[in-house]
Amino acid sequence: MTVSIIRFGGSNCDRDAERALAHLGIDAEIVWHEDGLPAETSGIVLPGGFSYGDYLRAGAMAARSPIMNEVREAAADGTPVLGVCNGAQVGCESGLTEGAFTTNESARFQCEHVYLRIERDDTPWTAAYEEGDVIEVPIAHGEGRYEVDDDRLAELEDEGRVLFRYCDEDGETGPDANPNGSKHNVAGVLGEREHVAVLMPHPERATLPDVGGTDGQGILRGFETAATGAE
Amino acid sequence: MTAYTATVTVRLKHGVLDPEAETTKQALERLGFDLEGLRSADRFEVDLEAESADAASERASEMAERLLANPTIHDYDVEVDER
């Protein structure tokens, strides 16, 4: 299996993702978006960065690039897709996932470590954890505030599509543990099916032991879990 | 065919937090201005040729639906003028 990490102009976490996946023994390669999706693609990472300079809205341009048609088709065929940070913004802008990640409540770029609560452990991305586990991962974004209308958010929550919430060290999801003003502390969501997920925090920056923390490894292992069908 | 300019204005939906507008409002207040509220919007002026003003408006609306606005957080309106 080969995970394709799609590099757009302005992606800058593509190599982080490649190294993190390699560390876990997961075969991955960086794919330039104009080259299209390789036939052997068994998983897709939409990496972090600032594709197209965040012109118009973060992720708006990349979401409408031709390769995203291939990504949507692959996702529909069951290929696991993980969008991280800018990749999460691209995922929402492209309709792979619902809602929008928009300007932080602080109106500032925020680069810090946060805690996430695992809301479900029966998806490929969270099978390595237990529901309610608290993991520590970094965020680095200016537009990470999850926004969707209240009624739709209630439906998404009922459908179990909120996968990660910002919380404190003890797993409490109060306003003090919400770094960017996201509705209901939402940090990551699932698409219509469980093999598509996006999140603003960076699991690939919490994978290599020598850069501080390995709590994100389990999320990336989702590519293995999805491949073996052990959901 | 007639030449038109379609002006597409994209705004955050009512109730969606606008931190940039809030920061701008605070900056105006620091400068001594008295104001009660401030909203920001993006405005796109699209030059195009179309059979009619309605056709121009329809095309500009589709541009808003498919790219210029994000329907999750935005409302938009379109005005068309001959140019």
Side-chain angles (χ1 to χ4, degrees), chain A residues 98 119-120 122-123 151-163 165 189-194:
Chain A
E98 287 193 45
E119 299 294 297
R120 287 178 59 178
D122 58 346
T123 79
D151 293 344
R152 189 60 195 138
L153 180 52
E155 289 170 5
L156 291 171
E157 288 174 331
D158 286 348
E159 292 165 14
R161 286 168 63 179
V162 174
L163 193 53
R165 288 186 210 268
V189 293
L190 291 168
E192 278 182 24
R193 288 160 63 195
E194 288 157 9

Side-chain angles (χ1 to χ4, degrees), chain A residues 56-57 60-61 64 92-93 98-100 102-107 143 145 147-149 181, chain B residues 10 12-13 15-20 23 42 44 65-74:
Chain A
L56 193 62
R57 297 177 299 276
M61 296 298 173
R64 288 154 182 88
C92 281
E93 280 279 343
E98 287 193 45
T102 186
T103 313
N104 292 349
E105 188 174 24
S106 65
E143 289 155 309
R145 176 171 57 95
E147 187 64 60
V148 68
D149 81 62
Chain B
V10 177
L12 285 170
K13 282 181 178 169
V16 175
L17 191 68
D18 188 346
E20 290 181 2
T23 305
D42 288 327
F44 303 89
E65 293 280 343
R66 292 185 56 190
L67 176 63
L68 301 178
N70 178 339
T72 302
I73 53 173
H74 291 137

Side-chain angles (χ1 to χ4, degrees), chain A residues 72-112:
Chain A
R72 275 188 294 263
E73 284 168 20
D77 288 342
T79 304
V81 180
L82 181 67
V84 172
C85 195
N86 188 225
Q89 296 160 337
V90 173
C92 281
E93 280 279 343
S94 69
L96 281 168
T97 48
E98 287 193 45
F101 292 103
T102 186
T103 313
N104 292 349
E105 188 174 24
S106 65
R108 292 186 182 143
F109 189 91
Q110 290 174 246
C111 191
E112 57 200 67

